[in-house]
Amino acid sequence: MSVNASERGDTLIEVFVAITVLAIVTVSVFSIMNKGVTSMYDSLERAQVRQILDAQSEMLQYARDQYVVQQTPQSAAMSLDDAAAAAVWTRLRDTTQVPDIAGIPGLNDCHISNAFYLTMRPNGGNTTMVLEKNGVISPSSGLPEPGNGLWIQKISSQAAQLVPYKDFYIKACWQPVGSDVPQVLSSVVRLYDQN
């Protein structure tokens, strides 16, 4: 019985080559997908942290705005919550209650003292802004939150004597899932003040 060339099967070497090529393609595809998922998760995490930083910035602005409203002669009676926000700005203006720092700390420095953060606390049926001071703040193991990997520092400036303003350094440090390297995201906010 003779075997026709068209009926001949694959040799063992051809099968091994085909399996090897398939394995390389499969591993490459999974590696690319894994990098894509990691990149997507990192972007999502950074977007969430940016929102947390922005919330601190907005609370600073709100406190300053309520202070300005309270200083105007024609201001109406303020609610307790608005008055509490104005009191936060009054504390922020006072360097003995919230000391200034000489400049922006090191970018990768995630252990800090002489910092504060803003939170909203329930007060009856409303919420009240509260300025909290913390001893030492370290990176959080998950997403940062005020007092746990997230803080604000007041920055001093000689130019602020000419034009009244306050600079605030807002920083978040956290340990992302599956990484040994702490991530850092920060922002500087300048708010003009009235004398």
Side-chain angles (χ1 to χ4, degrees):
M1 174 169 171
S2 69
V3 177
N4 212 352
S6 63
E7 295 177 5
R8 177 177 158 247
D10 293 329
T11 64
L12 194 54
I13 293 175
E14 291 172 329
V15 171
F16 282 143
V17 168
I19 290 173
T20 303
V21 169
L22 179 63
I24 290 171
V25 168
T26 303
V27 167
S28 298
V29 166
F30 281 124
S31 175
I32 291 169
M33 285 176 44
N34 188 30
K35 285 181 183 180
V37 168
T38 302
S39 176
M40 180 195 65
Y41 185 75
D42 184 53
S43 294
L44 176 64
E45 198 171 66
R46 285 186 169 278
Q48 289 173 325
V49 172
R50 176 55 61 195
Q51 287 179 336
I52 295 167
L53 287 174
D54 289 346
Q56 290 290 300
S57 173
E58 288 171 8
M59 284 197 279
L60 283 168
Q61 292 173 24
Y62 179 74
R64 188 269 324 262
D65 292 346
Q66 293 310 311
Y67 175 83
V68 170
V69 166
Q70 188 180 46
Q71 300 305 311
T72 58
Q74 67 273 17
S75 66
M78 298 179 79
S79 72
L80 290 175
D81 301 331
D82 295 339
V88 164
W89 186 256
T90 302
R91 283 184 68 191
L92 289 173
R93 296 177 87 218
D94 184 3
T95 56
T96 60
Q97 292 194 26
V98 182
D100 293 352
I101 59 173
I104 296 176
L107 179 64
N108 292 323
D109 185 11
C110 285
H111 299 280
I112 199 75
S113 58
N114 196 22
F116 67 94
Y117 57 93
L118 302 173
T119 59
M120 299 300 281
R121 293 260 168 87
N123 182 13
N126 299 324
T127 56
T128 302
M129 184 184 297
V130 179
L131 184 144
E132 298 280 346
K133 292 184 189 176
N134 206 343
V136 176
I137 300 177
S138 299
S140 65
S141 57
L143 284 178
E145 56 188 35
N148 182 17
L150 177 72
W151 66 88
I152 305 171
Q153 290 178 289
K154 193 167 68 163
I155 304 168
S156 66
S157 172
Q158 296 298 325
Q161 295 172 357
L162 302 173
V163 176
Y165 65 83
K166 306 283 185 240
D167 285 338
F168 297 95
Y169 180 60
I170 308 171
K171 187 171 184 179
C173 281
W174 75 100
Q175 192 77 33
V177 177
S179 175
D180 296 335
V181 180
Q183 296 292 310
V184 177
L185 204 57
S186 61
S187 181
V188 176
V189 177
R190 174 170 288 173
L191 296 174
Y192 291 91
D193 195 11
Q194 77 177 46
N195 289 329

